[in-house]
Amino acid sequence: MGELLWYFPETIKELKEIITTSVGVVPHSGGTGLLKGDVRKYKGLVDLGRLHISNIEEKDDFVEIGAMATYGDILRYFKDKNNNALLYKSLLNAASFPLRNRITIGGSVAYFPPWTDVMGPLFALSAQVYLTGEKEGWYSILDYATNRELHKKTVVLKIRYKKDVDTGRSAHYRAKRTQIDHPAFTITLLLYVRDERVHSASFYVVGTKDKFKRLNVLEKQVIGKNVKEIDPESMSLDEVEFYGKVQFSPEYQKTLFITEVKRKLRDILETLK
């Protein structure tokens, strides 16, 4: 392993030049994910701390979050603005207090560990990511998560979603043994109701054998239904498979998934009756 080089760009233009022309160089934000991989394969790290990309603000019809915003920053913002926001609910118990002040949303999106509490909510909110580098512009979070080409020589600068998308009834579940455990998987449910009928739904589970899955089968069973007529216990769920983790076996995770999806859906519906 040779000497590890550090880069400290102060403008997006400098960042773009480093990322597109250097080999073996990766972005560094909170740094919490670095040791999860093989550091020996890196030739350089690009510190994003001088780029001033940690702001959280409402712009036009969107909530826009800079990639360097930490979980703590996001929690503080939504605590004052909207403590019913889906991201607020999902991050409130994520990691530990010191780590919430280190982990960044941009790093979580780029790294996408299976235990993340961010990606399920961002999928449900139909979020977008802004990239710079060999690709420039806004891309859907789903495209970014599934297309590895979008990760090559690019950096996530910001994330956004439409404000009105976060006006539904929502729930987030973390499958864990202790409060600060990595969740074995997470469940995110987002429902939109008009005149007591479910207008639309966006349900995701993250941490599956396929990394994540949208629960289309369950969504179809609730859309168009009167909330008083929906019985979660009688519903069939999407076929979801898990791999063995330190916390739980695949079989236990599947049982827990079935139980908690129905429980969280029932909790949401109770608030609507």
Side-chain angles (χ1 to χ4, degrees):
M1 178 179 176
E3 181 183 359
L4 187 67
L5 300 176
W6 278 89
Y7 300 85
F8 298 92
E10 297 188 1
T11 66
I12 302 302
K13 183 179 179 181
E14 288 179 50
L15 169 66
K16 187 173 181 177
E17 183 177 352
I18 294 166
I19 288 296
T20 55
T21 60
S22 304
V23 178
V25 171
V26 295
H28 172 274
S29 50
T32 57
L34 281 177
L35 296 180
K36 299 291 184 181
D38 185 359
V39 182
R40 295 171 297 179
K41 68 182 180 182
Y42 303 141
K43 293 184 178 179
L45 297 174
V46 186
D47 187 279
L48 306 181
R50 300 181 184 182
L51 296 174
H52 308 292
I53 52 172
S54 61
N55 289 346
I56 306 171
E57 56 187 337
E58 294 186 7
K59 297 183 69 174
D60 300 321
D61 295 328
F62 292 90
V63 174
E64 191 170 290
I65 305 173
M68 287 291 285
T70 65
Y71 286 9
D73 293 332
I74 295 167
L75 286 168
R76 286 184 285 273
Y77 176 85
F78 284 115
K79 184 176 182 181
D80 293 333
K81 295 280 186 178
N82 176 18
N83 60 15
N84 195 47
L86 182 50
L87 278 176
Y88 184 80
K89 292 178 182 178
S90 66
L91 296 181
L92 196 57
N93 295 305
S96 62
F97 181 80
L99 282 175
R100 286 198 292 272
N101 286 323
R102 287 292 302 176
I103 301 172
T104 63
I105 190 170
S108 295
V109 169
Y111 179 33
F112 192 175
W115 57 83
T116 179
D117 282 280
V118 161
M119 294 301 282
L122 291 180
F123 289 145
L125 292 166
S126 300
Q128 299 172 308
V129 297
Y130 190 92
L131 304 179
T132 192
E134 288 196 346
K135 304 285 192 302
E136 189 84 27
W138 290 104
Y139 294 84
S140 80
I141 190 76
L142 279 169
D143 284 345
Y144 184 73
T146 55
N147 184 355
R148 296 308 301 175
E149 291 298 313
L150 293 178
H151 291 246
K152 294 179 179 179
K153 292 186 177 293
T154 62
V155 178
V156 176
L157 290 185
K158 46 194 172 183
I159 297 96
R160 73 178 184 183
Y161 61 86
K162 286 193 172 181
K163 288 185 289 187
D164 61 359
V165 176
D166 204 15
T167 57
R169 301 299 179 102
S170 60
H172 183 76
Y173 171 76
R174 313 175 73 239
K176 64 189 188 306
R177 295 172 303 182
T178 66
Q179 189 61 40
I180 61 171
D181 230 0
H182 285 325
F185 63 87
T186 62
I187 299 166
T188 304
L189 306 180
L190 183 58
L191 272 179
Y192 304 91
V193 177
R194 293 180 187 170
D195 300 323
E196 296 190 331
R197 289 193 177 276
V198 178
H199 176 258
S200 60
S202 189
F203 300 160
Y204 283 89
V205 55
V206 172
T208 65
K209 204 168 187 178
D210 296 321
K211 202 159 190 180
F212 72 93
K213 184 177 179 65
R214 184 166 189 172
L215 304 179
N216 292 296
V217 171
L218 183 60
E219 288 178 3
K220 290 176 181 176
Q221 291 175 88
V222 299
I223 293 174
K225 298 285 183 65
N226 187 297
V227 295
K228 296 178 181 178
E229 299 171 351
I230 298 173
D231 177 17
E233 294 304 321
S234 66
M235 291 184 165
S236 56
L237 297 184
D238 300 63
E239 187 59 35
V240 175
E241 297 297 330
F242 296 91
Y243 60 92
K245 303 185 179 83
V246 174
Q247 306 100 312
F248 309 122
S249 68
E251 296 78 15
Y252 183 82
Q253 289 177 77
K254 193 164 186 177
T255 300
L256 191 59
F257 162 75
I258 293 169
T259 301
E260 293 299 336
V261 165
K262 293 181 177 181
R263 181 176 293 165
K264 286 299 181 184
L265 181 57
R266 185 173 63 248
D267 288 347
I268 293 175
L269 293 172
E270 285 297 324
T271 68
L272 295 166
K273 293 179 180 179

